[in-house]
Amino acid sequence: MTYATRNSHDICQEYAVNPKTGLTTTQVKQNRAKVGSNELTEAPPLPLWRKILRQLTDVTSIILLIATAIAAYLAITTDSSWLKVIVIGAIIILNVTITLFQESHAEKALAALQDMHVPMVTVLRDGAKTTIAAADLVPGDIVLLKAGNTVPADGRLLTAQNLTVDEAILTGESEPISKQTAPLATEPDSIGDNLNLVFSGTAVTQGNGSFLVTTTGMATELGKIATLLNKTKKQKTLLQQRLDQLSFRLTTIALIAGACIFILNFFFHDGAMADSLFIGVSLAVAAVPETLPVIVTLSLSNGVRKMAQRRAIIRRMTAVETIGNVNVIASDKTGTLTQNQMTITRFWQPEAPVTDINQLKQLTSAQKQAFTYMGLATNAEVSADGTAHGDATELAIIRLLDKYGLHRNELEQAYPRLAENPFDSTKKTMATLHQMPDGKYLLIVKGALDRLQLANQPAKISQIHDQFANDALRILGIAYRQFDTKPELNWEQLEQQLTLTGLIGLIDPPRPEVPAAIAKAHAAGIKPVMITGDHLATAKAIAKDIGILRPGDHAISGAELQQLDDQTLAAQIKRYSVFARVSPEDKLRIVAAWQANGASVAMTGDGVNDAPALKAADVGIAMGITGTDVSKNAADMILTDDNFATILDAVEEGRTVYHNILKAIEFLVGVNFSQIFLMLFSVSLGWGAIFIAEQLLLINVLADGLPGFYIGSEPGDADNMAQPPVSKNRSLFADGLGWRMALRALVYVILVGGIYYLGRFVLSANEPKLQGMTMAFLVLAIGSVIDVYAIKVRRPLSWQNIKHNRPINISVAISITLMLLVTFVPGLQIAFSLTTLPPIAWLLVIPAILGSLLCLELAKHIRHHRKNVNTARAEQNETISH
């Protein structure tokens, strides 16, 4: 039995406290010694040295560190240049600095949670009211509440006068909860059903009351969320996992090739130890795409900028590519899928048909009377500047009246209010007494239909009520009674023999653009699901209306969810599209269940209760308008317009970024593979190293690096949102990337190896080895640069797609110019072991430079021809079948 179902007197006895005098000083000291301060604690932050060490233990960094160490050893023990040490070291520092800068926006969710705690509260102690720091509260304290207060701890209500509390930070639902003091008959299913409990961090919107503190600090519902945040770790993104796999493969190849080269050079070709180590350094440099981390970061940064223009603010850069590959979007209902504004959508009067408010152009006299009575029995206000004050239901009434030119202040001038019997959760009605223009008196009662004491039950009323309820509408009845003379204020007697003037149906309606966005998500292979704190019937109605709950899909409540263990939930999770009345722990389980099925999950939310699930999701998405600081700090992305449709815009941009990163990998890593095999090939033939480390760094960092920086600015493919998301278990080399890289590497091994052989062993020269190396360098350096045109677009190359990315064209020109300067300028020639070529050598070099580009384009044309043939056959077969 919980506190919600127990009598408050028994709970006071359990805590040995008198509700009229509060705890004694001695009791406070004893209780604090048991439970400590009423504060939230957080996991210790990772120190800077640990962050740096984590980056330096990355596979790519380890390879570069080893290469730097060997290069430094050779520079100290031989006459080798320090240039490679400086360059490789600078690259390591640059990569670590960029990563640390990305992580500088350290997660502040716990700090935001702590900020939500109220600094001072009013309590009863030693028989007197006193103001203390919220951190000093202990279980057993009697806390006094009033409108505007934030609840400082969890507890059981002892008194409540017209008390309503906004629990949106825990439940996700913005409508305040009316509180009571009586014990509940049954155990509540969720936090929002605990009508006689209050929770830390929630806000008192109206009324006053007092409560007995039962839980403080990390044991509160807010504290449980803080604990979940401490325990929840952010998973590596799909791109991070695949880049790790790529680094591992490159490392494996480099280690095997390095061992082979060392053995061949040292044992079979009588190479010196220093020369063998020198070749090992060159191979290590060849194995690592040094500029790839920077290019990935620039691509992500470009995505961040474009997403910001589309109202999606990225907090963690890796979320840019991850959002493009999500296949489940778990969305909160209120404010994201709906307008977060209770709206009257239907109206019914006895002896009249149901009216769709959206179709109602002009009021009849009976409708005008009913609307007038609704406005008179309402306390909400909307000021001239649009600021709203009051209950969400009453604000819906005010907005409806304004639509038809009825204004509450004008109505009250015509019908002055004389008295009010305010709403409370026990009687579920509100009554006001007015003087009418003709001198008579009017009683208006507004509330739950089953609590209106009607003189006569109108025909069809039960049918209309059920019809509204089946559509998940919140139902409110308006009834009245007239008096010739001013009645005595005995509300129980006055609120009898009422006449029903109408029923209204309210709901928080969907955003108009959401159904199209849901359809777009389905077309893109993404399953949208609704996770909400609202009731199951309401959630199902909205989900069906907007296209989330489709034929064959199921809905489940938090209570039903808790009956399933984690394994069963993971096995059944694909059945469900709607999750209602869920807790923060439920949200975490839902995210984990989808992830256990290999899904990449985006989770939206705005409340404190959403923060752990936002952090656990592959992409956490917070609301920029209604979101709490806690949810924003736990999220990867923030929507500035709180709109579900914006998520699909972000998905589209994310897919573009991901594909551009794949193009960058193809552009850079294909050359790295060719460099590894060229080095292995040349040493195995006894030629020695075909390139030196400085030349490889020049190719990797300057020649290929400059155009690679601008691949991220390529526009997305036209069919981006018609393709399914990339599966988590799909290889980085899928969809033809692997064979395209293999083809390019093979072409360069043949071309560069052949050109080196001709330059060194066939053409006459004073320095044949330098001539062969120079020719090989030019073919690989300039050839790999112009390959960017074949790689940056998947369609066959045309003048239009060559010229549309101006920054790439400029960078290609700069890269080629730099490579030619290194080849022609004497001082640079010496530094990079190059030489001046005779005209006959250029006759061989220039056609070879174009070899890879031509092969890639030929392969692209063949692939597109096959695709067109297959498409035509499929269309022909479909026509025949019809």
Side-chain angles (χ1 to χ4, degrees):
M1 183 181 291
T2 64
Y3 290 124
T5 55
R6 291 176 58 189
N7 187 288
S8 59
H9 176 75
D10 295 338
I11 300 171
C12 287
Q13 283 189 328
E14 178 185 332
Y15 284 88
V17 62
N18 184 333
K20 295 181 179 180
T21 61
L23 295 174
T24 65
T25 302
T26 302
Q27 287 177 306
V28 170
K29 290 179 179 177
Q30 291 173 344
N31 290 355
R32 183 172 294 113
K34 294 178 183 177
V35 299
S37 296
N38 180 34
E39 295 177 312
L40 301 179
T41 58
E42 60 179 300
L46 199 66
L48 179 62
W49 70 269
R50 288 277 300 276
K51 293 179 181 179
I52 295 174
L53 182 63
R54 185 176 60 190
Q55 299 306 321
L56 292 178
T57 52
D58 175 77
V59 175
T60 303
S61 296
I62 290 173
I63 295 173
L64 290 175
L65 284 170
I66 293 171
T68 306
I70 295 172
Y73 168 77
L74 293 174
I76 294 169
T77 58
T78 67
D79 59 353
S80 177
S81 169
W82 283 90
L83 179 63
K84 64 176 72 70
V85 179
I86 296 170
V87 174
I88 302 173
I91 290 168
I92 295 171
I93 294 170
L94 180 64
N95 288 345
V96 171
T97 303
I98 289 173
T99 307
L100 291 177
F101 178 77
Q102 286 178 237
E103 294 179 352
S104 63
H105 301 290
E107 295 192 36
K108 301 171 185 174
L110 266 296
L113 278 169
Q114 290 172 322
D115 290 342
M116 293 182 64
H117 249 57
V118 193
M120 306 300 291
V121 294
T122 303
V123 297
L124 280 177
R125 283 185 181 175
D126 293 317
K129 291 182 183 179
T130 182
T131 301
I132 65 168
D136 293 334
L137 280 177
V138 296
D141 264 324
I142 306 296
V143 178
L144 306 182
L145 296 174
K146 62 180 180 180
N149 286 167
T150 302
V151 180
D154 291 2
R156 174 66 156 80
L157 282 166
L158 304 178
T159 62
Q161 286 78 43
N162 198 26
L163 183 69
T164 61
V165 180
D166 182 352
E167 297 180 344
I169 64 165
L170 295 177
T171 65
E173 298 307 308
S174 56
E175 192 169 356
I177 307 295
S178 295
K179 293 295 183 178
Q180 66 183 50
T181 57
L184 303 183
T186 59
E187 296 288 346
D189 290 333
S190 67
I191 290 176
D193 297 324
N194 287 279
L195 301 182
N196 53 9
L197 302 183
V198 289
F199 302 99
S200 178
T202 59
V204 179
T205 55
Q206 69 178 26
N208 57 73
S210 62
F211 74 96
L212 169 73
V213 174
T214 56
T215 313
T216 60
M218 296 298 285
T220 63
E221 293 298 325
L222 200 63
K224 291 176 184 176
I225 294 171
T227 301
L228 290 173
L229 281 172
N230 282 337
K231 291 180 178 178
T232 305
K233 296 186 182 296
K234 200 70 186 172
Q235 295 188 347
K236 279 193 172 185
T237 69
L238 188 63
L239 180 65
Q240 287 172 322
Q241 294 171 17
R242 289 175 175 171
L243 289 177
D244 286 348
Q245 292 172 358
L246 177 62
S247 296
F248 176 77
R249 291 176 182 179
L250 285 173
T251 305
T252 304
I253 292 170
L255 288 174
I256 294 172
C260 292
I261 284 176
F262 184 84
I263 292 168
L264 286 169
N265 196 64
F266 188 68
F267 292 103
F268 291 91
H269 299 298
D270 299 321
M273 177 68 74
D275 291 338
S276 300
L277 286 175
F278 187 85
I279 294 173
V281 171
S282 302
L283 189 68
V285 171
V288 179
E290 288 85 358
T291 56
L292 183 59
V294 181
I295 290 172
V296 168
T297 300
L298 288 173
S299 299
L300 295 175
S301 299
N302 187 57
V304 168
R305 180 180 56 81
K306 289 186 177 180
M307 285 186 182
Q309 293 171 351
R310 301 180 79 166
R311 300 173 299 280
I313 305 300
I314 299 297
R315 289 190 68 253
R316 293 183 179 86
M317 211 176 287
T318 50
V320 173
E321 59 85 16
T322 311
I323 188 66
N325 289 321
V326 297
N327 44 24
V328 175
I329 300 177
S331 177
D332 191 25
K333 175 180 72 67
T334 305
T336 309
L337 299 173
T338 65
Q339 298 175 24
N340 196 21
Q341 183 173 289
M342 291 299 290
T343 305
I344 298 171
T345 58
R346 290 193 216 164
F347 176 67
W348 176 79
Q349 289 184 290
E351 311 304 325
V354 173
T355 300
D356 182 344
I357 294 296
N358 292 324
Q359 305 299 322
L360 182 59
K361 304 299 182 184
Q362 191 171 357
L363 300 180
T364 64
S365 57
Q367 290 170 336
K368 185 174 181 180
Q369 181 196 60
F371 283 21
T372 297
Y373 288 2
M374 274 194 288
L376 290 170
T378 296
N379 289 324
E381 295 179 350
V382 178
S383 60
D385 64 358
T387 306
H389 306 278
D391 176 78
T393 300
E394 293 197 337
L395 285 170
I397 293 172
I398 295 297
R399 293 189 183 100
L400 179 66
L401 265 59
D402 286 345
K403 182 179 177 182
Y404 297 102
L406 300 172
H407 305 294
R408 189 186 145 209
N409 56 345
E410 295 175 3
L411 296 177
E412 291 200 348
Q413 288 176 9
Y415 294 80
R417 184 183 295 190
L418 305 177
E420 175 185 344
N421 185 13
F423 176 89
D424 71 48
S425 57
T426 303
K427 60 187 182 68
K428 295 186 178 180
T429 60
M430 171 189 178
T432 55
L433 182 65
H434 302 262
Q435 187 171 3
M436 300 178 70
D438 61 3
K440 295 181 180 181
Y441 294 86
L442 174 68
L443 175 76
I444 306 171
V445 183
K446 172 170 68 49
L449 182 61
D450 60 347
R451 300 301 179 92
L452 299 179
Q453 305 299 316
L454 301 177
N456 295 296
Q457 194 84 346
K460 295 179 65 178
I461 190 169
S462 296
Q463 178 186 339
I464 298 299
H465 181 278
D466 292 346
Q467 179 184 326
F468 282 17
N470 289 338
D471 290 335
L473 298 178
R474 184 181 176 192
I475 304 160
L476 203 63
I478 303 95
Y480 69 95
R481 182 180 178 185
Q482 291 186 10
F483 302 89
D484 292 331
T485 59
K486 186 177 181 179
E488 295 291 330
L489 285 181
N490 184 329
W491 292 106
E492 188 172 345
Q493 292 183 4
L494 287 178
E495 296 180 33
Q496 304 289 330
Q497 301 297 307
L498 302 174
T499 300
L500 185 75
T501 187
L503 288 181
I504 57 173
L506 305 97
I507 200 167
D508 182 8
R511 286 176 175 263
E513 65 277 7
V514 162
I518 296 294
K520 187 177 181 181
H522 285 302
I526 301 169
K527 181 179 177 69
V529 301
M530 178 191 290
I531 302 181
T532 177
D534 209 344
H535 292 281
L536 185 63
T538 305
K540 286 173 66 176
I542 294 288
K544 190 176 294 184
D545 192 23
I546 62 180
I548 283 182
L549 192 64
R550 302 198 295 180
D553 291 344
H554 294 78
I556 187 171
S557 69
E560 295 170 320
L561 195 69
Q562 289 165 15
Q563 302 302 313
L564 305 177
D565 59 38
D566 291 346
Q567 188 175 356
T568 305
L569 178 60
Q572 298 182 6
I573 193 71
K574 293 182 180 179
R575 299 176 54 203
Y576 301 109
S577 293
V578 176
F579 303 85
R581 303 301 275 176
V582 294
S583 68
E585 290 84 359
D586 292 334
K587 293 181 181 183
L588 269 178
R589 292 185 65 214
I590 292 166
V591 170
W594 277 109
Q595 289 172 335
N597 280 270
S600 183
V601 182
M603 170 79 186
T604 77
D606 57 5
V608 175
N609 63 318
D610 297 317
L614 291 177
K615 188 175 178 183
D618 297 276
V619 182
I621 305 171
M623 303 297 109
I625 300 173
T626 60
T628 61
D629 286 342
V630 178
S631 63
K632 291 174 186 177
N633 285 327
D636 304 289
M637 187 169 86
I638 300 171
L639 304 182
T640 60
D641 59 356
D642 291 12
N643 193 340
F644 182 87
T646 302
I647 301 174
L648 273 299
D649 292 339
V651 169
E652 186 172 5
E653 194 60 52
R655 290 188 174 187
T656 297
V657 170
Y658 183 74
H659 291 153
N660 285 344
I661 289 173
L662 290 184
K663 292 172 185 177
I665 291 171
E666 179 179 349
F667 178 61
L668 297 173
V669 178
V671 174
N672 287 104
F673 276 120
S674 66
Q675 290 170 354
I676 291 170
F677 291 119
L678 278 168
M679 296 287 285
L680 185 62
F681 176 70
S682 64
V683 173
S684 64
L685 291 177
W687 296 352
I690 198 169
F691 297 113
I692 63 171
E694 288 88 340
Q695 292 170 352
L696 294 173
L697 283 170
L698 201 64
I699 295 171
N700 292 354
V701 178
L702 285 182
D704 294 342
L706 289 177
F709 291 156
Y710 299 102
I711 287 181
S713 59
E714 279 292 304
D717 297 330
D719 61 349
N720 249 0
M721 294 300 284
Q723 303 298 323
V726 177
S727 170
K728 279 186 175 181
N729 55 16
R730 177 179 279 184
S731 167
L732 189 69
F733 300 104
D735 298 323
L737 179 61
W739 74 259
R740 288 195 301 272
M741 289 172 61
L743 171 65
R744 188 162 173 241
L746 177 63
V747 168
Y748 274 122
V749 168
I750 295 171
L751 277 176
V752 176
I755 285 292
Y756 180 83
Y757 176 81
L758 291 173
R760 181 175 176 179
F761 299 109
V762 176
L763 298 181
S764 60
N766 294 328
E767 297 177 304
K769 184 174 182 180
L770 287 183
Q771 179 171 280
M773 188 176 285
T774 302
M775 293 173 66
F777 170 79
L778 285 168
V779 171
L780 186 59
I782 299 177
S784 64
V785 168
I786 64 174
D787 282 352
V788 73
Y789 292 111
I791 291 170
K792 75 188 185 80
V793 288
R794 298 297 182 220
R795 303 181 303 279
L797 205 54
S798 67
W799 176 243
Q800 185 61 35
N801 54 41
I802 285 176
K803 70 178 185 177
H804 79 257
N805 192 332
R806 190 164 178 264
I808 279 187
N809 296 333
I810 294 172
S811 64
V812 165
I814 293 172
S815 292
I816 293 174
T817 301
L818 289 173
M819 297 306 103
L820 292 175
L821 284 174
V822 168
T823 307
F824 285 114
V825 176
L828 293 175
Q829 281 183 347
I830 296 171
F832 288 94
S833 299
L834 300 173
T835 189
T836 302
L837 296 179
I840 191 170
W842 285 101
L843 292 176
L844 296 172
V845 166
I846 291 172
I849 286 173
L850 300 172
S852 175
L853 177 69
L854 295 174
C855 288
L856 289 174
E857 280 302 305
L858 178 62
K860 198 187 293 183
H861 276 277
I862 293 171
R863 186 171 70 253
H864 276 263
H865 176 71
R866 286 178 179 172
K867 182 179 179 181
N868 292 336
V869 169
N870 291 336
T871 302
R873 285 176 180 171
E875 290 174 352
Q876 186 179 13
N877 291 337
E878 186 175 349
T879 303
I880 293 171
S881 65
H882 285 304

